[in-house]
Amino acid sequence: MAEDSLPIQFVAPAQRNEAVTLAMWLLLATEALMFGALFLSYLIYRLLFPQTFAAASAQLDSMLAALNTGVLLTSSLTIALAIQAVALRRRALALWLLAATVALGCSFLILKGYAWYTEYQHHLVPLRGFQTDYSALGSGAQMFFNLYFVMTGMHALHLSIGIAVVLVMMAYVAWSDRTAMVTRRVGLAGLYWHFVDIIWVFLFPLFYLVV
Amino acid sequence: MNARRYIGTYLALILLLTATVWSHGFELGGWNVVINLAIAAAKAALIALVFMQLLREKALTRIFSLLGLSWLAILFVLVLADYLTR
Amino acid sequence: MSAIPQTGSYLDSGYSLRSWLLTTDHKRIAWLFLLSLTLFFFLGGTAAALIRLELVTPTGDLVGQDTYNRLFSLHGIIMVWFFLVPSIPATLGNFLVPLMIGARDMAFPRLNLASWYLYIIGGLFTFATVISGGVDTGWTFYTPYSSMFSNTHVVLAIVGVFVVGFSSILTGLNIVVTVHRLRAPGMTWFRLPLFIWSTYATAVIMLLATPVLAMTLLLVALERLLGIGFFDPRLGGDPLLFQHLFWFYSHPAVYIMVLPGMGVVSELMAAFSKKAVFGYTYVAFSSIAIAFLGFLVWGHHMFTAGQSMYGSLAFGLLSFMVSVPSAIKVFNWTMTMRKGTLSFETPMLYALGFIGLFTIGGLTGLFLATMAIDVHVHDTYFVIAHFHYIMVGGMVTAYLGGLHYWWPKITGRLYSERWGQIAAVLMFFGFNLTFFPQFILGYLGMPRRYHSYPDEFQVLHVLSSAGAVVLAFAYLLPLCYLGWSLKYGRRAGSNPWGTTGLEWTTSSPPPKYNFEQIPRVDYGPYRYPIVSGTPPTETRHG
Amino acid sequence: MTAAQSFQPIDPPRPFALFPEATSTLAGQVDAVYFTMLGLCGLVILLVLALMTYFILRYRRGNLRADRTHRWPRWLRHRLEWVWITLPLLIFIAVFVWGGIVYIRIHSMPADALEIHAIGKQWMWKFQHPGGQREINELHVPVGRPIKLTLASQDVIHSFYVPAFRIKRDVVPGRYHQAWFEATAVGRYHLFCAEYCGTMHSQMRGQIVVLPPQEYADWLRRQELGSSLAAEGAALFRSYGCSGCHGANSSVRAPNLAGIYGRPQPLTGGGTVIVDDAYIRDSILLPQKQVVAGFEPIMPSFAGQIGEDDILKLIAFIKSLAAEQEIQP
Ligand code: HEA
Ligand code: HEA
Ligand code: CUA
Ligand SMILES: [Cu+2]
């Protein structure tokens, strides 16, 4: 197998791997802070409108969301296994696992899209120009839905990026012979995927399980 | 073998998920939130430690993985210091 | 590991436009940043010049009030995000970090180039904002004015800042990883030059603060475009939440805008005292301390904003704490001169200017952190003077000092020492004339962002505007003589100042991959001999 | 010139000065802290400059006679570091504490103050005296008596700033802010809007006219009296339909508002609040934020329908209701 040529600034492959992993974790830290601004807003408004949040949360389909959580957790498993398969050079297995990851990611988005659609039908989408009706829920209800759509929207956006990245990884696994490079990159994609998963793990109870 | 650890972790995650949903059925007042968030944190920790290989990473990477969290803590604590004493 | 065959200087490794625009060489990327930053500085400076002209008369007759509001907004946005934040990290930092730690490039050269392109894209959005009529929110984008009331191009401006934020994040990421992973063998943390320590601390702030700004501005844009607001008081939203999020970035960001300058000054003090920096470990750790403590004080911008009184007390106290590491630096720089062999070439003049002006700016920061005083001077020219003393008197001065000091290394040419000294002195006087009257104005109660003002403030405003003319002239000088030196300057040797540091062991300008053989380091920085009586050999130029 | 530009703000004539006049009870206290800081910081900067000058003269390269060899031992250098870390910090923290105390005073409302309502809007200040007198960009107050301002904003953030009194308070839309001062000298003083609020931010200025008590009383009398705030509030209470639910013999089950002001009110979901201006305002604009225990959350929100000035009148009315009084339907 052909090997990676080492860029001029590195002296050893291990040095490069460490640099790349470190960079990825730093990137995830910045992502965490980016979402942090949203979680903080959520916290503040939940403190201000505790009852409304509970009432509004009851409008959402928590079973669907629980199912979706399961879907994402499963995708985390498949991508973790895929990374290992790549490292062990089991190309076919790796491809299947990555494909499963993409499929799970897509089903998440479809289910989420369906959820949004039902909410649209119930006049819960606060976009300008849409008809909304929060009268049953009390003041602060729109704030809940603003938070809900922005935060789940941001998450869906990140997940879509993740899906695109995993698709690219599939191409690498299928056609590249530079195992070290492919392993490194798939590993990074995995880190990102897991991070997006973790975000959802927190979104789930915060939006669907308010009492 | 890694695969077995992964699958074990996955089962634990699903178990935790079931636990959250199940606990949602009970009226526990403030405790519901606590349980939910504790479970979410446990899930996140499992994913980070096992799936994201933090257990096997160098100390430096582990420190950096905590960086985002610690800074979030600063943000939350100091903003709450304002809101809770207004 | 193998030696790299030398290919001549990095400037000679290609002359086409393409060889510059697609370069991944950290030294060339530094140039790209240097040129584009300079452009933005003069753009922001032109806005400042118009502001100062307008304020010569109290009635506001030069430009209309809407124009005036766009001018200071543009001035703040450009000066902060398109000039001062990237100023040292992206130019001197890019150029010097690999050289100083004994590496051949940054860890991620392509990311480095991407950072410049993001900067340019962000810049284009800002240009577009200006051309389509500007933005009038001030650089702080306070809601609900920005999200619901302003009818200028807020979203366009926000996109510009958003994009340039990612440029900042990528630069920070690169610096952190490079410092951690690419140090030459034997280059332990305590053998690093202090410039590296401060740049590293800056990079950490960039990484951790910028994403919060990005998300916050995105929320303002969403509120404005789609009506899904987080801060809209009609929905029960709280504008103060925006302020918290904004200052969570923007206070640490003021340290992004001074730490690198402190690093430069540490280098300059050692270089022109021919002596190790006094208290190296204290100065090194004070940079890290600033990076951390800087995140705990943002609430001092909100003492009158309706934040809880107890919150204010906590933030005020923490603001006093954060000045301790700055104090450590000031005292150690001063003591560095003791028993040194001082010479006063241009960079040293800038360094001395920095210490004086930064200290004044910093100490007036303590006035502001004393909450009772801040209630009176918040949003007055006292604040304007405070931060211009640090950002212009401090950081811009340090930036120019560093640029002069490393100019021979970057270009291989020497500039005219006489002109350099003239410009530095002129700048110092022009600066004080511009901004010292503003302290007095501020305590008198002159509010900031005022297009017209009561008559009795006019005398001081005129003084300030006169200073700005001197300052503008002084800033044009380096442009001329440094530009001149590019073609006509004498050639510099590899170490024209006779100073220490790995960067001076390479030729001037350095070869493409910096070091033929990665150096092995077994000594700390600033190894100057202790001289007694006899002067050191003549090494200076010009 | 546009119409906007031809608008001339009221500026009380003031002479050129290098230091502002201090004409409130707080001003002297703030200035004292300021001068202390000035002295201390002056000392620090002089010390730094003096050291620098000395070193520059003594250790310049040209001075061959300077002894550059005997440097301080390590322990001495460390000790020095700790001295200049702790000493200035302790001194400055003392000033911080003092400044903090004054700040707390600025924030502690006096009990027996004259209450005036102020509303900021793009780009003017509107004031309402308790007797119903109204002014724009000008505020008449008596000397030697604490004045408490309740501030609200109609649109964006403004900031109420009187340099001569050393007070400043941002006015954030969506909530009430309070500020107080007690003028110590008769005269006219600048009033500025200190928070950027759009096009005419710099025109949003006016004056505070401090009068001797007798003249103030005369001035009050000379004003055309609208009816008192509470009386206007009573009218609004009917015209907005509040009385439809809160009136004595209404068919809707809504709490009786008589005498609630200043009393604790139990809430659904636990906890109590003291009924104050901000709470009443929230009850009108965000009724479901805090629901009174034992009632259904059926009160509609009046957000967007009632302006800040009317809300202030309604509050004045509710405040004026004594406990026994019944509300007429
Ligand atoms: C590079 C930029 C920079 C830097 C480094 C600083 C540094 C500091 N700033 Fe400044 N600040 C700004 C840029 C900066 N600031 C800007 C842009 C604004 C306005 C934003 C806007 O509203 O548009 C602002 C506004 C601002 C405010 C809010 C004012 C208001 O709007 O009402 C406050 C309040 O506390 C403050 C405090 C401080 C303090 C305590 C420091 C400290 O870090 C200073 C530390 C330094 C020293 C103290 C000097 C050296 C020390 C000694 C010589 C020893 C003696 C002292 C002790 C041991 C205590 N700043
Ligand atoms: C970060 C860096 C930075 C820098 C370098 C500067 C540089 C300068 N600033 Fe700036 N300033 C800010 C950051 C900065 N400023 C910020 C953040 C604000 C707050 C904005 C807000 O409120 O939102 C502000 C606000 C601000 C105000 C207050 C406006 C108001 O509140 O109404 C003033 C007024 O005097 C001012 C003046 C100046 C001057 C005279 C310079 C000078 O140092 C500039 C000197 C340079 C030049 C003059 C350019 C060189 C010469 C030419 C280009 C010649 C050609 C010119 C012509 C043909 C006209 N600035
Ligand atoms: Cu109102 Cu500025
Ligand atoms: Cu600050």
Side-chain angles (χ1 to χ4, degrees), chain A:
Chain A
M1 274 192 194
E3 249 328 313
D4 253 343
S5 63
L6 197 63
I8 188 87
Q9 68 272 26
F10 295 112
V11 293
Q15 186 193 23
R16 179 197 209 173
N17 285 342
E18 284 167 17
V20 165
T21 317
L22 191 63
M24 192 65 203
W25 276 100
L26 285 173
L27 209 66
L28 295 185
T30 67
E31 287 271 8
L33 278 151
M34 208 148 140
F35 275 98
L38 297 174
F39 281 106
L40 177 71
S41 312
Y42 173 90
L43 174 65
I44 296 301
Y45 292 122
R46 179 153 175 188
L47 286 176
L48 286 180
F49 304 108
Q51 268 124 37
T52 309
F53 268 47
S57 164
Q59 303 287 306
L60 303 175
D61 186 343
S62 61
M63 273 311 146
L64 190 65
L67 179 64
N68 246 345
T69 314
V71 168
L72 270 198
L73 291 177
T74 316
S75 76
S76 261
L77 173 68
T78 54
I79 200 164
L81 291 173
I83 295 166
Q84 215 187 2
V86 173
L88 298 174
R89 307 191 180 197
R90 294 174 58 181
R91 183 175 286 187
L93 179 63
L95 275 176
W96 276 113
L97 285 166
L98 287 176
T101 310
V102 170
L104 287 164
C106 289
S107 8
F108 177 92
L109 287 181
I110 291 168
L111 288 177
K112 191 74 231 154
Y114 173 72
W116 283 334
Y117 180 69
T118 13
E119 285 139 20
Y120 163 73
Q121 286 182 322
H122 291 101
H123 302 302
L124 296 176
V125 182
L127 285 182
R128 190 169 280 164
F130 284 30
Q131 200 192 346
T132 54
D133 178 13
Y134 301 128
S135 49
L137 304 175
S139 359
Q142 184 175 347
M143 195 54 84
F144 177 88
F145 285 101
N146 286 350
L147 285 161
Y148 167 74
F149 282 102
V150 171
M151 289 173 82
T152 54
M154 280 305 287
H155 174 262
L157 182 70
H158 277 78
L159 188 63
S160 314
I161 296 171
I163 291 174
V165 169
V166 175
L167 283 172
V168 175
M169 291 307 127
M170 288 177 70
Y172 278 132
V173 174
W175 290 304
S176 175
D177 283 332
R178 291 151 65 188
T179 320
M181 181 272 276
V182 176
T183 314
R184 193 175 61 242
R185 295 208 172 151
V186 177
L188 295 184
L191 284 181
Y192 180 80
W193 189 276
H194 293 307
F195 172 80
V196 177
D197 193 1
I198 288 179
I199 294 292
W200 180 262
V201 161
F202 283 97
L203 289 183
F204 170 58
L206 289 184
F207 281 110
Y208 296 92
L209 305 180
V210 187
V211 285

Side-chain angles (χ1 to χ4, degrees), chain C residues 48 51-53 55 68 75 364 368 377 379-389 392 430-449 457 459-468 471, chain D residues 18 34:
Chain C
I51 291 175
R52 282 310 335 160
L53 269 179
L55 293 175
Y68 183 82
H75 169 68
T364 52
L368 297 170
V377 294
D379 270 349
T380 66
Y381 269 75
F382 194 94
V383 178
I384 303 281
H386 153 67
F387 67 74
H388 282 88
Y389 259 82
V392 184
F431 174 83
N432 280 297
L433 184 55
T434 312
F435 292 107
F436 195 80
Q438 297 189 357
F439 282 123
I440 305 173
L441 271 176
Y443 204 77
L444 278 170
M446 167 75 204
R448 63 191 283 203
R449 297 170 172 176
F457 297 136
V459 176
L460 290 163
H461 270 304
V462 169
L463 280 181
S464 174
S465 298
L471 198 53
Chain D
L18 290 177
Y34 177 71

Side-chain angles (χ1 to χ4, degrees), chain C residues 120-414:
Chain C
I120 290 300
I121 295 172
L124 287 177
F125 273 102
T126 306
F127 274 129
T129 315
V130 179
I131 290 166
S132 60
V135 60
D136 74 344
T137 58
W139 80 287
T140 46
F141 293 106
Y142 269 19
T143 56
Y145 184 70
S146 62
S147 59
M148 285 147 65
F149 287 86
S150 169
N151 40 31
T152 55
H153 300 271
V154 182
V155 174
L156 215 52
I158 281 180
V159 174
V161 175
F162 184 85
V163 173
V164 86
F166 283 93
S167 161
S168 196
I169 291 178
L170 291 189
T171 301
L173 185 76
N174 228 332
I175 291 175
V176 171
V177 177
T178 305
V179 173
H180 270 291
R181 286 287 167 243
L182 261 56
R183 280 171 287 128
M187 181 58 97
T188 57
W189 282 87
F190 292 101
R191 288 178 182 166
L192 289 170
L194 288 166
F195 178 73
I196 299 294
W197 278 92
S198 65
T199 311
Y200 174 82
T202 311
V204 172
I205 305 179
M206 284 173 157
L207 274 175
L208 295 173
T210 319
V212 175
L213 175 79
M215 181 53 81
T216 309
L217 290 183
L218 193 68
L219 291 176
V220 173
L222 284 179
E223 180 158 338
R224 201 176 157 84
L225 288 177
L226 305 176
I228 36 179
F230 280 24
F231 312 118
D232 181 351
R234 286 174 313 187
L235 304 178
D238 184 3
L240 286 199
L241 181 60
F242 169 84
Q243 296 181 18
H244 275 299
L245 290 169
F246 181 83
W247 293 114
F248 178 82
Y249 163 80
S250 285
H251 184 84
V254 308
Y255 296 116
I256 297 179
M257 293 187 266
V258 80
L259 270 171
M262 294 169 152
V264 165
V265 169
S266 301
E267 297 298 315
L268 297 184
M269 290 315 284
F272 294 91
S273 304
K274 294 286 183 296
K275 186 172 158 290
V277 172
F278 193 90
Y280 172 93
T281 26
Y282 291 89
V283 178
F285 278 119
S286 66
S287 293
I288 306 299
I290 289 181
F292 174 70
L293 290 171
F295 276 93
L296 309 180
V297 305
W298 77 80
H300 65 210
H301 295 269
M302 300 162 64
F303 286 154
T304 66
Q307 169 179 255
S308 100
M309 192 176 75
Y310 304 99
S312 292
L313 284 166
F315 282 120
L317 185 62
L318 286 163
S319 302
F320 274 73
M321 301 294 173
V322 78
S323 54
V324 170
S326 300
I328 294 177
K329 283 183 196 278
V330 170
F331 293 137
N332 280 297
W333 290 325
T334 311
M335 290 306 288
T336 302
M337 294 198 279
R338 187 176 175 271
K339 307 233 161 181
T341 308
L342 312 184
S343 58
F344 303 98
E345 286 89 348
T346 312
M348 182 62 159
L349 295 185
Y350 280 117
L352 294 174
F354 174 98
I355 299 179
L357 299 179
F358 168 76
T359 306
I360 296 181
L363 289 171
T364 52
L366 294 181
F367 284 66
L368 297 170
T370 310
M371 294 118 65
I373 303 178
D374 186 69
V375 169
H376 176 46
V377 294
H378 168 70
D379 270 349
T380 66
Y381 269 75
F382 194 94
V383 178
I384 303 281
H386 153 67
F387 67 74
H388 282 88
Y389 259 82
I390 296 186
M391 303 209 291
V392 184
M395 183 70 165
V396 176
T397 301
Y399 172 61
L400 287 171
L403 207 58
H404 283 80
Y405 177 58
W406 281 289
W407 190 255
K409 178 58 58 186
I410 296 174
T411 63
R413 302 282 184 161
L414 300 173

Side-chain angles (χ1 to χ4, degrees), chain D residues 280-327:
Chain D
I280 297 181
R281 183 178 185 286
D282 279 350
S283 297
I284 299 170
L285 298 180
L286 306 165
Q288 275 83 28
K289 190 170 156 191
Q290 287 157 323
V291 177
V292 185
F295 291 91
E296 289 301 308
I298 51 166
M299 172 163 162
S301 162
F302 287 83
Q305 300 170 40
I306 306 189
E308 291 293 346
D309 28 4
D310 282 357
I311 295 180
L312 286 173
K313 291 173 194 157
L314 284 169
I315 293 174
F317 168 63
I318 293 175
K319 239 175 179 172
S320 71
L321 295 172
E324 323 78 55
Q325 207 175 327
E326 283 284 292
I327 303 172

Side-chain angles (χ1 to χ4, degrees), chain D residues 217-234:
Chain D
D218 291 345
W219 177 86
L220 278 181
R221 217 164 314 117
R222 276 199 313 276
Q223 295 307 300
E224 279 178 46
L225 258 194
S227 34
S228 78
L229 287 185
E232 286 190 33

